[in-house]
Amino acid sequence: MRKERLIVPLLVLLLVAWLAGQAISSHFFEREMARALNDLEARGEVIVARSEVEQGWWSSTGRIHLAPLLGDVWQLELTYRARHGVLNTHLNGEAMLRHGPDAVQLFGDLLASSPPLWQASYHTLTGTLEGGLRLSPLRIIQQDRELVLDGGRLHFSGEQGDWRLRAHLDAWRLTDGVTSLAIGPSTLNSHYAYTEDAHAFNQEDRLQIESMAWRQPELSLDASNLRVTNRTALDEQELRMQLDIDLGEVQTANQVLLTGELTLELSRLNGDALRASMLRLRELAASGHHQLDRREFLAQLEPHMLQVLQDSPRLDLLNLQLDSPMMGLSARIDGSLFFDGRRLDELRLVGVDDPAMQARWRRRLDGDFTWYDLPTVAALWLGLPLDTRTLEIDVGRGQVRVNSRPLPQLWR
């Protein structure tokens, strides 16, 4: 009898604990979902909304709407159904892509295929989410144009403040009459780490394209192992961006036409002014002011965007190396370009099409670049002595000089 008396309270306790675990799991999932979507919108690139949300202890459903901050080029809608467990929540749904002001569905209207399915798992104790989707092969034909995609897959994982994305796109081909472009397979790896409300963040994107082929009657180009890396960091002081490009190897007529590398860095973009600009941009988008024409829209943003330049941004060409064994030419260049951020009240974005205003912007530019081992043909083109081996490019108040001479007219 004593054991039976203990079993009933124990079962009741286990039942209460299980129900509490279900409620906590549902609450944590909803909290993390809201925080993740708020942080995504705080980045300032997309508008995020949810609709048809129904939250329960055992399951939750809803729709997530993503759209660019300005314009109506595309809209992405993710439906989800979440099945809550004590330790994990499993999600699945559809990814529906629309485009244009009429919100035409890509899958179903333009393509005779159903939207891709996605699934994920949220781990309650660690707060991590992991999931992905797969793209089926598709084919689009418009008159003489044809686009063929062999498929692909996407995987994402992470937690609040730290997310990773890996996308693999199988080969795709675009044909327009006798001209064609084939690219892939391609792989994108992205890592995004940020503080609350994206006040500061670091993002690194690495794209690798295994092959690329361009075909037309007069020209055939084949490229392999193209790599592009982009690093962006926003801290309390500045936004800094660095771009690395490795061209791999470009061939034509069974010869190496071009190889090369490029490294650029843009820095000293004022962080507080950039955050203020993005906040104002979101306010305009939310109020419907994105229907203003270009001039009126720039007038609204101009004060904030000009202040982004107050710390005198600089562009560093850290490395440019190009080699063409086929043509016997090479280039190795480095240098920096600076923008004078003083007296910004003299500048305008609204009237930037005016030649006088363009001249004001150009006069803010100073810098210098060096081209090492200058090819003879380049010296001839620039009107320099044929034995010139180093080219010094100086930019002073927007005026360009090469080896202390005014830049000659290169095109007539």
Side-chain angles (χ1 to χ4, degrees), residues 214-216 218-223 250-258 326:
W214 173 266
R215 295 288 183 270
Q216 66 182 68
E218 302 83 7
L219 179 66
S220 294
L221 293 175
D222 292 278
V250 182
Q251 294 188 353
T252 185
N254 296 320
Q255 297 185 61
V256 178
L257 174 64
L258 186 66
M326 181 178 178

Side-chain angles (χ1 to χ4, degrees), residues 7 17 50 91 98 130 145 147 149 162 187 280 347 400:
I7 289 175
R50 275 201 295 170
L91 302 94
R98 311 175 192 271
E130 183 174 3
R145 298 176 182 174
L147 174 64
L149 173 64
D162 194 305
T187 302
R280 181 57 180 154
L347 301 176
V400 181

Side-chain angles (χ1 to χ4, degrees), residues 189-192 202-206 229-232:
N189 287 287
S190 182
H191 181 206
Y192 177 46
N202 285 276
Q203 180 167 341
E204 180 173 316
D205 304 300
R206 295 178 177 271
T229 302
N230 177 60
R231 301 178 182 88
T232 305

Side-chain angles (χ1 to χ4, degrees), residues 177-304:
V178 296
T179 303
S180 66
L181 174 65
I183 297 179
S186 308
T187 302
L188 173 66
N189 287 287
S190 182
H191 181 206
Y192 177 46
Y194 58 94
T195 61
E196 188 173 358
D197 293 329
H199 182 80
F201 65 83
N202 285 276
Q203 180 167 341
E204 180 173 316
D205 304 300
R206 295 178 177 271
L207 172 66
Q208 179 168 346
I209 300 175
E210 295 184 16
S211 64
M212 182 183 302
W214 173 266
R215 295 288 183 270
Q216 66 182 68
E218 302 83 7
L219 179 66
S220 294
L221 293 175
D222 292 278
S224 60
N225 296 321
L226 173 65
R227 293 190 295 272
V228 180
T229 302
N230 177 60
R231 301 178 182 88
T232 305
L234 174 65
D235 57 25
E236 291 295 332
Q237 286 76 38
E238 66 174 336
L239 175 72
R240 181 185 296 267
M241 296 180 288
Q242 181 172 312
L243 176 67
D244 295 280
I245 299 178
D246 186 341
L247 295 176
E249 191 173 85
V250 182
Q251 294 188 353
T252 185
N254 296 320
Q255 297 185 61
V256 178
L257 174 64
L258 186 66
T259 63
E261 298 177 349
L262 169 68
T263 302
L264 284 171
E265 184 178 69
L266 178 62
S267 60
R268 300 203 306 217
L269 297 171
N270 187 270
D272 288 336
L274 182 67
R275 282 183 279 265
S277 297
M278 297 310 300
L279 178 61
R280 181 57 180 154
L281 189 60
R282 289 198 297 273
E283 291 173 350
L284 290 173
S287 63
H289 285 165
H290 55 278
Q291 300 298 330
L292 299 173
D293 62 34
R294 175 177 173 271
R295 191 178 184 87
E296 293 172 327
F297 187 76
L298 279 178
Q300 295 284 339
L301 288 175
E302 184 179 77
H304 304 289

Side-chain angles (χ1 to χ4, degrees), residues 11 50 85 132 196 218 276 327 329 344 352 365 405 409:
L11 291 176
R50 275 201 295 170
E196 188 173 358
E218 302 83 7
M327 303 178 66
L329 299 176
L344 291 172
V352 74
L365 298 177
R405 300 181 180 185
Q409 186 176 353

